[in-house]
Amino acid sequence: MGVQDRDWCKERARRSAGARATPAVKRRRPARIALLAACLLGLAYWVGKGDGLAVLSRWSPLIAGKSDSTRGWPSLACSDAFPAAGALAGEDEWQRHAPRKSITTFVNRTPADRIVDLLHGDEVKLSIAVPANAEATLDLPVGAHAWRLRNGAAWCDRGWRFVREQRTVISPPLEIVASSQLTVDITSDPDHPTGFSLRTRDAPVVATIGSASSAPAATSRAGDGTLLLPRSTNGHYFVDGTIDGEAVRFMVDTGASRIAVPMPLARRLGYYQGREVVV
């Protein structure tokens, strides 16, 4: 076979291989088109939710509109009015049907609107709005709740979130007890990495219920040294006493196997937190 014949055979083989590959390429073409369409739909959904628009708006004046002179950024996608103090979002059933509640006040002494989240693991059970330089007072279910604070650059009412949101998980848990009214002070603190500090204080509920007769003083029976404790109007029995010289009003539970004191009182007395128990 001459050189010319070999070249002709190679050219024919090349054309034949190309003809065989063409149907395979055609079969892959619809799959590629479908993949491209799925990507475009995903991008459209992301931008439509607002998250994509918030990110893109940082860089594109065409999307953002006028600029925000306070931060040097283009204006943000969300600028909804922040909810009123004490507004709630989350599981209404959990909050409404809690067997016991206690009045709790959050005082926000910072210039940032904040959301208080009560958590169960990673799940948000309840969110509470606390505007800047304002306070929110409401009844919350008693117990030790994991919690966090949220703030951000701008409020987005859709989904109760902030643009460029910052989340700070607070430790120890938020302890709400029926026998006291808890107040949480959120104060600006430039020296702290979060920009704020927390302080908790509580007041006995029995000191504010009804008249003085609602928590009558215990009287002693003559001769045998026992105390007669009249029942309070809220159905419990109270007696005045002291712990390490500090006056404390005790709630008497004849079936209790342990003695518990509120965490703020334990801190004032210098007691360390003991091991956790289930009650």
Side-chain angles (χ1 to χ4, degrees):
M1 183 181 292
V3 175
Q4 185 176 359
D5 293 336
R6 287 199 301 271
D7 292 341
W8 178 82
C9 290
K10 290 180 180 179
E11 179 66 18
R12 185 176 179 181
R14 185 183 64 79
R15 291 179 180 179
S16 177
R20 288 195 300 271
T22 300
V25 172
K26 290 182 178 178
R27 286 196 298 270
R28 289 198 295 270
R29 191 170 297 163
R32 292 174 178 174
I33 294 174
L35 179 61
L36 178 60
C39 292
L40 291 175
L41 288 175
L43 178 62
Y45 173 75
W46 179 62
V47 172
K49 281 181 61 181
D51 294 330
L53 186 59
V55 173
L56 294 174
S57 66
R58 295 171 56 182
W59 309 108
S60 174
L62 295 177
I63 296 175
K66 61 183 181 179
S67 62
D68 182 354
S69 59
T70 58
R71 290 178 175 268
W73 294 89
S75 60
L76 298 163
C78 291
S79 57
D80 302 326
F82 193 71
L88 299 175
E91 293 191 18
D92 294 336
E93 293 298 317
W94 176 74
Q95 196 267 347
R96 186 184 306 116
H97 297 296
R100 290 189 302 165
K101 300 179 185 178
S102 180
I103 297 176
T104 305
T105 301
F106 297 94
V107 183
N108 183 5
R109 306 181 191 275
T110 72
D113 296 330
R114 297 187 184 275
I115 294 291
V116 177
D117 290 328
L118 301 187
L119 308 172
H120 180 70
D122 294 332
E123 178 187 5
V124 178
K125 303 292 288 186
L126 201 67
S127 296
I128 307 153
V130 189
N133 300 307
E135 65 179 51
T137 299
L138 62 165
D139 282 351
L140 292 180
V142 301
H145 306 296
W147 63 305
R148 71 182 178 195
L149 293 176
R150 290 189 284 134
N151 65 292
W155 174 249
C156 271
D157 194 60
R158 293 166 295 178
W160 268 58
R161 60 183 176 83
F162 292 94
V163 174
R164 298 204 298 273
E165 187 170 84
Q166 300 176 7
R167 305 180 180 187
T168 305
V169 177
I170 308 299
S171 181
L174 185 68
E175 296 188 2
I176 302 174
V177 297
S179 60
S180 64
Q181 295 179 355
L182 178 67
T183 299
V184 180
D185 284 305
I186 309 168
T187 308
S188 295
D189 186 357
D191 297 329
H192 196 275
T194 62
F196 65 86
S197 60
L198 295 175
R199 184 171 65 91
T200 59
R201 47 194 169 90
D202 60 357
V205 172
V206 294
T208 61
I209 297 179
S211 62
S213 61
S214 63
T219 58
S220 175
R221 289 182 180 175
D224 59 5
T226 59
L227 295 176
L228 176 63
L229 303 178
R231 185 170 62 180
S232 175
T233 55
N234 62 7
H236 297 294
Y237 295 87
F238 299 92
V239 61
D240 292 322
T242 61
I243 299 179
D244 290 351
E246 179 159 342
V248 176
R249 180 173 291 274
F250 292 88
M251 183 176 70
V252 180
D253 181 0
T254 57
S257 57
R258 292 182 174 90
I259 298 174
V261 297
M263 184 64 72
L265 174 62
R267 292 195 184 103
R268 288 200 303 271
L269 295 174
Y271 293 144
Y272 292 98
Q273 181 175 346
R275 64 182 180 88
E276 291 186 356
V277 297
V278 178
V279 297

